[in-house]
Amino acid sequence: MFSLREFSQWLRPLTLVLAGGLAGSAAAASFPVAANGKAACTIVTAAKPTPAARLSALELQHHLRLVTGADIPVRTEQDAPTGPLLLVGESDRTRALGFRGADFAGQEYVVAFRSNALVLLGQDWEDTPENRRVEGRPMTGESLQALRHRVDYWKAVGLPERSVGEMELPGLYDDQGTCLATYDFLERFAGVRWYGPAPLHTVSPTQANLTVAGEDIRRSPGLKHRSALPGGNWPFLRGQWGEFSGAQLQLFWRRLRQGGERWSANHTFHRATIQSTFTAPEYQSKNPKTQGSQLCYSSPELVAKVAQMARDHFDGKGGLPEGWKALGDHFALVPDDNLNLCNCTRCEAALAKGKARKTGFFSDGQISDYWFEFVNAVAREVRKTHPDKFISTLGYWAYALPPEFPMEPNVSVAPCLHTCYFPVHPGMRDNDLALYRDWQKKSQGPMFMWVYYHHPMEPALIQRWKCFPHVMVHDTAKAMRQFVRDGVRGIFECGEQDQLEQYVMARVWDDPDTDVDAVIEEFFRLYFGPAGEPMKRFYLRLEQIATDPANYPAPYSRRDGIDWKKVAWERLGTAERMDELAALIAQADKAATAEPYRQRFTLWRSALWDWMQQGRQEYLAGQAPKSP
């Protein structure tokens, strides 16, 4: 914890406003939260709060207790509370002040100061039978209901003695404007930071007296669909976080504002769906190498079948094949991950057009005309009955480039970009950005994106060697800022970054004007305390080494990729640089004596530095001449 004096050095000004004030709002007012470690207000919800309001009330109670020591009571409006009221979610009290959830767009929220009241509210998903019946699957394939995770809240935040059993969280892709308002309030006015899922990763000041003031804030996240669900599945993040529970992870995703607008686009035509749903002969590929994996995408019967599946989904009739992706207004069409395509006369004629569109890069257009003609044909049929719905697909691999013909207006495309290569592979970066710009011109529907953060860690895990940490936090922020400002509606992250880069990306997705250097400076000061300065220098030196294109000359870098294993320990983690980095780790080790800084430093040292030392030693041992 930090004292008020220490905290004042980095807490953002209380009157900071991310968007214009509300029309008719009161002049900047103050609201008492706690005085001398005692509650000075009451948290109030409706008699039957939405899932978002219910969670928000608990998050406020817990985190304001961390900051002030005050146990602020949570009441419903039926309890007729008096005095200063922290109104959470829509209720009779907020309606009397002119605030209704229906008046807000999806993901829009307000933090509003009124006389003797503070309002945290947005549009929330209502728990009704009708809403429960809505089906869909996001990129990762779970049902909407499965994404309404159940947790024991008080056990998850480290206070099992307060447990009242499990509660259902608002779904990741359910409207939860009240949660967005609550997390904004806790960050902006109470100084809380969430750098990971466990209590160890939460940073907050300590101050017995807390009165907040400001002008009204009404805004929504810059990016509407935010799908980077860090789970500690890859070594760096897993090691940096240390121990955490599944319930803590679910809370962390919501605190990072993950989820948002409903959209999905991932592989749909694969063996399971073909064998269960597309058994008629007229749908089948004529290529014996791919029967059961691909279909005849020039088949009019297949177009009609898939269009009817989309209509049934949009009409709420259910019946999505196992593994099929569709969510909200988007019904996904993505082929299986191979090029053993149908060789009937129609398909062969369409595929022949793409032979000249091979670029030598992973992302080219050799089957773009073939694939997107099928997508367009389905979209045209669906638009006849559902003009406000979309067929979603990817711009990926051999169909990464736009086709030569216009796209239908009800097609939403997500180009797949190798953002992890951008700083160090100019050819791949330029090829990706060129196809991205072409899609911006060609696509008439809303644009989403799939971004790769899988290399070098993915090949390292598959081939069982240890890579050099590919820290590229500034390049990540630059790319994400560009995408949000270009009007991209949503992004799915493929892969997993380190703890800080993942956090920075989430912050930029929420607000593209985020000062990244200030966020980095704040993180190291708060998270590592006296060891913050050498840890920051260590981290930024990793970034400087990893993102310098001069460290990736031929033959380490080739047109279609990088020899990550050789470049890691021959060009990046050289003996001289390892000595330099070792000195910084030693400085941090000496400074990180008090808890929780010691524990956090130890986790980072193990996850990054010990990994690097082992990786270099193993590589050099593998290169040593073998004894005769």
Side-chain angles (χ1 to χ4, degrees):
M1 290 290 192
F2 282 82
S3 68
L4 180 56
R5 171 177 289 184
E6 293 169 316
F7 187 65
S8 66
Q9 298 175 9
W10 57 273
L11 180 60
R12 287 178 286 177
L14 297 183
T15 56
L16 179 65
V17 179
L18 293 180
L22 294 173
S25 66
S30 63
F31 181 84
V33 175
N36 298 318
K38 303 295 182 182
C41 66
T42 302
I43 298 169
V44 180
T45 71
K48 294 183 178 180
T50 63
R54 183 170 60 245
L55 174 61
S56 293
L58 291 175
E59 291 279 62
L60 286 164
Q61 187 180 45
H62 169 58
H63 288 95
L64 292 175
R65 185 172 182 263
L66 283 180
V67 173
T68 68
D71 202 348
I72 299 173
V74 177
R75 301 285 184 265
T76 72
E77 58 187 357
Q78 284 185 329
D79 299 321
T82 60
L85 304 180
L86 210 172
L87 302 174
V88 181
E90 183 178 345
S91 64
D92 288 342
R93 300 274 185 143
T94 68
R95 287 188 286 272
L97 293 172
F99 294 102
R100 296 171 176 81
D103 294 337
F104 292 78
Q107 303 185 69
E108 186 183 27
Y109 62 86
V110 69
V111 178
F113 292 87
R114 292 296 180 270
S115 178
N116 229 26
L118 175 61
V119 179
L120 303 178
L121 179 146
Q123 185 178 119
D124 290 345
W125 181 83
E126 299 279 349
D127 189 358
T128 65
E130 182 181 9
N131 285 340
R132 288 272 179 185
R133 283 193 292 270
V134 175
E135 296 183 0
R137 297 195 194 104
M139 307 288 274
T140 45
E142 305 94 329
S143 68
L144 277 175
Q145 182 56 39
L147 294 170
R148 297 177 185 122
H149 305 97
R150 296 191 64 83
V151 305
D152 185 322
Y153 179 83
W154 289 110
K155 182 178 179 181
V157 299
L159 296 170
E161 66 276 10
R162 298 181 67 138
S163 174
V164 292
E166 288 190 342
M167 61 178 286
E168 186 179 75
L169 299 180
L172 284 176
Y173 302 104
D174 294 340
D175 280 326
Q176 48 192 288
T178 298
C179 281
L180 298 179
T182 296
Y183 295 133
D184 191 336
F185 170 79
L186 286 171
E187 286 182 333
R188 188 189 305 269
F189 295 104
V192 178
R193 300 290 184 270
W194 301 282
Y195 294 127
L200 175 68
H201 313 130
T202 297
V203 176
S204 61
T206 54
Q207 52 190 100
N209 300 295
L210 179 62
T211 297
V212 296
E215 297 178 1
D216 292 351
I217 301 162
R218 183 164 181 166
R219 68 178 299 273
S220 60
L223 190 70
K224 304 310 176 188
H225 175 100
R226 302 167 298 281
S227 188
L229 301 176
N233 298 310
W234 287 14
F236 291 156
L237 190 54
R238 183 192 312 144
Q240 290 169 313
W241 279 353
E243 296 296 324
F244 61 93
S245 69
Q248 290 168 342
L249 185 64
Q250 310 309 333
L251 289 171
F252 180 59
W253 287 348
R254 286 154 181 83
R255 293 164 181 171
L256 277 188
R257 285 73 143 182
Q258 294 302 290
E261 184 174 293
R262 293 179 179 177
W263 161 77
S264 188
N266 204 341
H267 297 287
T268 52
F269 293 104
H270 40 72
R271 290 188 181 275
T273 57
I274 288 173
Q275 293 172 4
S276 66
T277 307
F278 302 97
T279 57
E282 57 267 29
Y283 306 149
Q284 303 307 309
S285 166
K286 307 308 182 289
N287 184 343
K289 293 182 179 179
T290 190
Q291 287 181 353
S293 174
Q294 300 282 13
L295 295 172
C296 177
Y297 297 114
S298 66
S299 164
E301 294 85 0
L302 181 62
V303 170
K305 167 73 172 178
V306 175
Q308 189 58 50
M309 289 170 58
R311 292 189 187 100
D312 289 346
H313 170 70
F314 292 135
D315 290 341
K317 296 181 179 179
L320 283 176
E322 184 66 29
W324 200 278
K325 314 301 189 301
L327 198 63
D329 293 337
H330 298 267
F331 187 86
L333 300 181
V334 180
D336 203 0
D337 224 352
N338 64 70
L339 292 179
N340 295 320
L341 298 163
C342 180
N343 55 12
C344 74
T345 303
R346 290 190 308 256
C347 288
E348 288 240 312
L351 288 167
K353 301 175 185 177
K355 292 180 179 179
R357 304 193 75 192
K358 293 184 178 181
T359 65
F361 294 105
F362 178 84
S363 299
D364 63 24
Q366 57 183 300
I367 70 166
S368 289
D369 281 16
Y370 174 63
W371 173 249
F372 291 113
E373 179 51 50
F374 171 71
V375 172
N376 266 354
V378 174
R380 282 192 292 270
E381 288 301 309
V382 172
R383 193 168 70 251
K384 293 175 183 177
T385 55
H386 297 74
D388 59 338
K389 306 300 183 184
F390 295 92
I391 299 300
S392 58
T393 190
L394 301 178
Y396 164 67
W397 189 24
Y399 49 100
L401 301 181
E404 299 292 349
F405 45 79
M407 295 300 298
E408 293 296 322
N410 61 325
V411 173
S412 67
V413 179
C416 300
L417 303 190
H418 300 80
T419 39
C420 53
Y421 281 83
F422 279 15
V424 298
H425 199 301
M428 192 174 293
R429 177 197 63 213
D430 293 347
N431 184 69
D432 275 11
L433 290 178
L435 70 88
Y436 164 71
R437 287 190 290 270
D438 286 346
W439 273 117
Q440 284 184 300
K441 298 173 185 176
K442 183 79 69 170
S443 179
Q444 300 182 63
M447 180 177 285
F448 296 80
M449 294 188 67
W450 181 306
V451 294
Y452 291 107
Y453 281 93
H454 60 327
H455 286 185
M457 183 57 77
E458 183 179 272
L461 293 176
I462 292 171
Q463 299 163 17
R464 298 188 178 183
W465 54 275
K466 292 180 172 61
C467 61
F468 189 90
H470 196 59
V471 176
M472 49 174 286
V473 61
H474 286 90
D475 286 277
T476 287
K478 177 182 177 182
M480 297 304 154
R481 184 177 291 117
Q482 175 185 342
F483 299 149
V484 176
R485 289 175 175 170
D486 284 347
V488 168
R489 290 198 66 81
I491 296 177
F492 172 80
E493 179 199 29
C494 181
E496 199 169 80
Q497 300 143 293
D498 77 87
Q499 180 178 6
L500 178 54
E501 189 169 330
Q502 198 86 48
Y503 174 78
V504 167
M505 187 170 76
R507 289 288 299 272
V508 173
W509 282 3
D510 179 66
D511 176 13
D513 293 327
T514 294
D515 184 335
V516 171
D517 287 322
V519 171
I520 293 172
E521 179 72 25
E522 179 182 89
F523 171 81
F524 283 103
R525 187 186 314 125
L526 300 181
Y527 202 68
F528 294 109
E533 186 58 30
M535 287 301 291
K536 181 180 73 173
R537 289 165 58 198
F538 171 79
Y539 184 81
L540 294 180
R541 184 64 178 126
L542 290 180
E543 179 187 34
Q544 186 181 40
I545 295 167
T547 60
D548 185 352
N551 291 330
Y552 300 80
Y556 299 96
S557 182
R558 57 187 186 276
R559 184 174 178 83
D560 64 344
I562 290 172
D563 188 336
W564 290 106
K565 185 175 183 179
K566 284 189 174 182
V567 83
W569 307 115
E570 293 181 13
R571 298 291 302 181
L572 305 179
T574 63
E576 181 181 11
R577 290 186 181 128
M578 293 294 282
D579 288 344
E580 176 189 358
L581 293 165
L584 293 172
I585 287 294
Q587 291 177 34
D589 191 359
K590 187 176 180 179
T593 56
E595 294 296 353
Y597 310 122
R598 184 69 195 173
Q599 186 178 353
R600 293 167 181 164
F601 164 75
T602 301
L603 289 170
W604 268 56
R605 180 180 60 188
S606 176
L608 296 176
W609 179 238
D610 292 353
W611 166 281
M612 293 168 62
Q613 289 182 299
Q614 294 167 15
R616 178 170 171 78
Q617 291 167 5
E618 290 170 4
Y619 180 78
L620 293 178
Q623 301 303 303
K626 300 294 187 290
S627 300

